[in-house]
Amino acid sequence: MVDLEHKLKQGFNGELRFNEPMSEHTSLKIGGPVEVMAFPEDPLSLRNILFVANEEKIPVHVFGGGTNLLVSDKGIKGLAISLKAFGSIEAVHSRTSSERNVSEEDSDEQDVTLFVGAGVPLAKLINYAQKNGYAGLEALTGIPGLMGGAVYMNAGSFGTEMKDVITSVAIMSKEGHLIILEKDKLDFSYRKSGLPDESLILSANISLNKDDPEEIKKRISEYMAKKKDSHPLGELSAGCVFMNPEGDVAGRLIDDAGCKDMKSGNMEVSTMHANYFINRGGASCNDFLQLMKTVRERVRQHSGVTLEPEIYIVGEI
Ligand SMILES: Cc1cc2nc3c(=O)[nH]c(=O)nc-3n(C[C@H](O)[C@H](O)[C@H](O)COP(=O)(O)OP(=O)(O)OC[C@H]3O[C@@H](n4cnc5c(N)ncnc54)[C@H](O)[C@@H]3O)c2cc1C
């Protein structure tokens, strides 16, 4: 390990932690230790550490805010990378009315392109956009986690998804190559970004419309109120456990199958939103998995629908 630590530190700016409990990095507060956790501060440090991981055949995992993750109680073998230092937001291009096409002239909207680092919390981005009068992200209010995770998951809410605003994504391949993928090369679908396997998202450019900050603020408050009314935002969860099946809603199917309130150890199906499982304190990954299994089976028996997980399960189960 001493030798490995030495290699990992070569050309690396940032923090390395060993046997770091993942429970401190997930919204569920569940998860055993990861062998090495790295917080690179720049793309070169990221490339150098990926190079060592490749050479030493160390498995690599990347995570953001850990708000869509269920991590094994046994932890994770290998290297977990957090890009939370990649935290800049910059306006890279702003179009004025005179630059717009003739076909756009019936609209008085102007747009702005923002460069957003993978480590920017989505809430911070929404706040920044509101203050500067950039509209388009309001419906995503209340989604926790970081930009990289939101892009990877194509996070969405109230009919808006990340794909609606993204114009390009910068990724680093496992081998350390930097690649920019423009919108026409991106293949987003429901809760999926379709990015090449094992690529790390470094940043994304997004396009927003200019609008009155007060109007944006009003819409944010309305969405937040709706979300608070129907989602248990203050509890320990990983958001929706299952994806909505085509033409239906997983929460309704779980509710109809009589699973609200169901428990496994200290994990419980939320009474407010049946697709949220709540850690009532000290729940284990196994409690969660057992509850998932029981709910899935009940729904299958009740409606014939097999629910597919939205959350990512990481580590040895
Ligand atoms: C209370 C609550 C409410 C939620 N509401 C919503 C909602 O309304 N809509 C919605 O879509 N989701 C919702 N979620 C789920 C979750 O917040 C989103 O999926 C979020 O976008 C995940 O971001 P994260 O940074 O936490 O990603 P993580 O959970 O850390 O990771 C999720 C996946 O993304 C990958 N990933 C993360 N960062 C990168 C990167 N830089 N490069 C490559 N891959 C990466 C990880 O490997 C993992 O596979 C909610 C969760 C909670 C706890």
Side-chain angles (χ1 to χ4, degrees):
M1 190 57 116
V2 175
D3 191 34
L4 176 64
E5 185 174 344
H6 178 74
K7 282 188 179 164
L8 291 170
K9 282 183 172 162
Q10 296 299 305
F12 181 80
N13 283 323
E15 196 186 349
L16 291 177
R17 294 188 198 165
F18 296 86
N19 290 317
E20 175 74 2
M22 282 303 294
S23 54
E24 289 180 16
H25 300 273
T26 59
S27 55
L28 274 168
K29 302 282 172 235
I30 289 177
V34 60
E35 283 179 317
V36 186
M37 186 176 283
F39 301 86
E41 280 187 357
D42 50 68
L44 185 58
S45 298
L46 173 63
R47 203 176 72 176
N48 288 342
I49 208 164
L50 287 174
F51 183 74
V52 176
N54 266 332
E55 216 177 44
E56 301 290 321
K57 300 195 171 26
I58 301 169
V60 172
H61 312 266
V62 58
F63 71 102
T67 64
N68 201 53
L69 292 184
L70 175 65
V71 179
S72 159
D73 298 323
K74 292 181 199 151
I76 306 177
K77 291 227 179 313
L79 174 66
I81 297 179
S82 164
L83 299 181
K84 73 175 180 191
F86 291 46
S88 61
I89 308 177
E90 280 166 47
V92 289
H93 182 61
S94 180
R95 253 180 3 149
T96 58
S97 326
S98 57
E99 287 174 284
R100 285 181 295 119
N101 297 329
V102 178
S103 60
E104 293 173 293
E105 272 177 9
D106 50 346
S107 149
D108 58 358
E109 282 174 356
Q110 300 165 279
D111 52 31
V112 62
T113 301
L114 297 183
F115 165 95
V116 188
V120 174
L122 200 58
K124 183 178 171 186
L125 173 63
I126 294 171
N127 192 32
Y128 172 94
Q130 184 275 322
K131 287 209 157 50
N132 288 281
Y134 304 149
L137 297 168
E138 298 88 296
L140 306 176
T141 300
I143 304 180
L146 309 184
M147 183 66 177
V151 174
Y152 184 83
M153 294 302 303
N154 185 23
S157 189
F158 301 115
T160 298
E161 292 177 309
M162 287 304 295
K163 75 171 173 55
D164 301 329
V165 294
I166 290 173
T167 57
S168 65
V169 178
I171 59 172
M172 190 175 277
S173 69
K174 203 176 78 169
E175 293 75 30
H177 302 300
L178 186 63
I179 304 161
I180 310 280
L181 295 163
E182 298 295 336
K183 191 168 187 134
D184 60 343
K185 295 276 181 309
L186 297 168
D187 186 22
F188 286 105
S189 56
Y190 172 58
R191 298 297 170 267
K192 289 190 171 31
S193 49
L195 290 167
D197 281 350
E198 299 185 308
S199 50
L200 290 89
I201 297 159
L202 305 186
S203 65
N205 279 9
I206 61 171
S207 173
L208 303 176
N209 299 316
K210 291 186 182 164
D211 197 357
D212 175 7
E214 285 311 308
E215 288 300 316
I216 300 173
K217 196 176 185 177
K218 221 166 88 191
R219 290 197 291 273
I220 288 177
S221 303
E222 284 164 11
Y223 280 120
M224 198 58 188
K226 267 200 226 172
K227 195 131 201 169
K228 274 187 178 156
D229 267 0
S230 50
H231 295 70
L233 297 186
E235 315 262 21
L236 301 184
S237 81
C240 288
V241 176
F242 297 104
M243 289 195 278
N244 289 329
E246 186 89 41
D248 215 326
V249 178
R252 187 191 68 76
L253 292 168
I254 298 170
D255 200 357
D256 287 357
C259 299
K260 254 190 185 168
D261 220 2
M262 199 176 254
K263 292 182 185 60
S264 163
N266 290 323
M267 260 348 274
E268 184 180 302
V269 177
S270 163
T271 48
M272 190 184 226
H273 189 310
N275 201 13
Y276 275 55
F277 292 3
I278 309 296
N279 179 359
R280 289 286 169 222
S284 66
C285 177
N286 281 337
D287 292 340
F288 195 105
L289 290 171
Q290 191 53 52
L291 195 57
M292 263 181 101
K293 196 171 156 201
T294 314
V295 166
R296 208 164 176 236
E297 188 49 28
R298 279 254 197 133
V299 169
R300 203 187 57 75
Q301 280 171 6
H302 187 262
S303 60
V305 176
T306 304
L307 294 174
E308 296 303 332
E310 178 169 322
I311 56 156
Y312 276 79
I313 302 170
V314 191
E316 195 192 327
I317 300 301

